Amino acid sequence: MRTVLVTGGSRGIGAACVRAFARDGWVCAFCARHPGPEQEAVVRDTGALFVPCDVGDPAQVEALRDTLLSRFRHLDALVLNAGISLSGLCQDMSEADFDLLYRVHLKGPFLCAKAFLPAMISRKSGSIVTVSSMWGQVGGSCESAYSAFKAGLIGWTKALAKELGPSGIRVNCLSPGFIDTDMNACFGPEVLEQMRQDTPLGRLGRPEDCADAALFLCSEAASFITGQLLSVNGGLVT
Ligand code: NAP
């Protein structure tokens, strides 16, 4: 049995990942901070185990690890997807918001990896996929903190791939472009149309586009791929 944990799996890209892995026969677990109708739909559709967890809280991440390993016994793949978006001019961003972005985008992946790596290393196998952003590659105006932490996640992924390769664990990074999820619900139709026109493939990204790429990176077909950045952005950033 192949097992996967998706952080932030209740909506958007994370929920699409749970659905894609489940369709491929994986036994899935996911976390998010809040239960609700979308989370319940993912459980109903996939049979996945839902564990409420804030990835920035060490005690909650350790409790998640204990629940999951007692249920699944081992973890084959970890998709570190949980994220939030807080945008605005640099000079207007509060320290609290800056810290919050750091907490979910960098500290969260660190805490999750720290919690699950001993179990993966002891089996000498595993795959980790981090979810960065095109803004981590090229920087986004009014997204300076988000861009910084997503860029940090790319560096962290590459370093971890080198550290964990000898232990048989692959670590890769997904870099979504503009994906049609709740995270972008703040944008009106004109902005969405502009994004579509700016995208060489002529459409917005779908959560499933990212889920298929994450599934590939965790599959046997990617067994010689580690430390890589896979952009899923329709050609918006090359
Ligand atoms: P989304 O639809 O807003 O979903 C975010 C998910 O993360 C939800 O399940 C949310 O559940 C969970 N989450 C947020 N903070 C969390 C925390 N502290 N602990 C645990 N779970 C948490 O976002 P999305 O668009 O699917 O984005 C997924 C990832 O892709 C994020 O890392 C995002 O930065 C990245 N990304 C998105 C886009 C895009 O265009 N959508 C582009 C590039 C990168 P709760 O709120 O209940 O915790």
Side-chain angles (χ1 to χ4, degrees):
M1 122 176 153
R2 294 169 300 166
T3 58
V4 61
L5 168 66
V6 179
T7 68
S10 61
R11 301 193 304 271
I13 293 168
C17 285
V18 177
R19 292 179 198 281
F21 278 81
R23 255 195 321 274
D24 196 50
W26 292 64
V27 175
C28 303
F30 67 99
C31 74
R33 289 165 302 174
H34 311 108
E38 287 163 306
Q39 165 266 319
E40 283 167 12
V42 177
V43 170
R44 191 177 58 242
D45 295 348
T46 64
L49 170 70
F50 171 68
V51 184
C53 172
D54 177 344
V55 295
D57 180 326
Q60 291 187 40
V61 171
E62 281 170 22
L64 167 68
R65 186 257 330 269
D66 293 347
T67 303
L68 199 145
L69 290 181
S70 73
R71 182 78 74 93
F72 291 177
R73 300 283 159 216
H74 74 278
L75 188 69
D76 292 303
L78 189 50
V79 180
L80 298 172
N81 160 82
I84 55 170
S85 168
L86 296 171
S87 50
L89 295 170
C90 179
Q91 65 270 30
D92 293 340
M93 176 162 279
S94 67
E95 270 187 67
D97 280 355
F98 188 90
D99 289 346
L100 186 59
L101 283 166
Y102 157 74
R103 194 171 175 277
V104 63
H105 290 290
L106 271 182
K107 187 177 177 186
F110 159 69
L111 291 175
C112 291
K114 189 173 160 64
F116 285 99
L117 275 174
M120 284 184 166
I121 290 170
S122 69
R123 300 180 79 232
K124 279 198 142 285
S125 109
S127 175
I128 299 175
V129 173
T130 58
V131 180
S132 178
S133 163
M134 65 178 169
W135 299 140
Q137 295 174 260
V138 297
S141 172
C142 296
E143 302 261 16
S144 59
Y146 179 88
S147 301
F149 300 130
K150 288 302 197 184
L153 195 58
I154 294 171
W156 186 75
T157 305
K158 288 174 183 278
L160 215 52
K162 289 184 177 165
E163 186 174 315
L164 294 171
S167 297
I169 296 163
R170 298 182 301 102
V171 193
N172 290 290
C173 184
L174 209 63
S175 181
F178 195 94
I179 311 297
D180 195 7
T181 68
D182 288 355
M183 192 170 273
N184 292 321
C186 52
F187 296 113
E190 299 83 25
V191 176
L192 298 186
E193 177 55 20
Q194 191 59 54
M195 290 306 296
R196 191 189 67 71
Q197 285 179 22
D198 289 347
T199 302
L201 287 181
R203 67 168 173 86
L204 302 181
R206 295 185 280 258
E208 294 75 19
D209 297 318
C210 298
D212 288 344
L215 182 60
F216 164 70
L217 287 172
C218 293
S219 74
E220 254 319 285
S223 65
F224 200 50
I225 299 176
T226 197
Q228 302 305 310
L229 184 69
L230 179 54
S231 293
V232 183
N233 63 29
L236 198 54
V237 167
T238 54

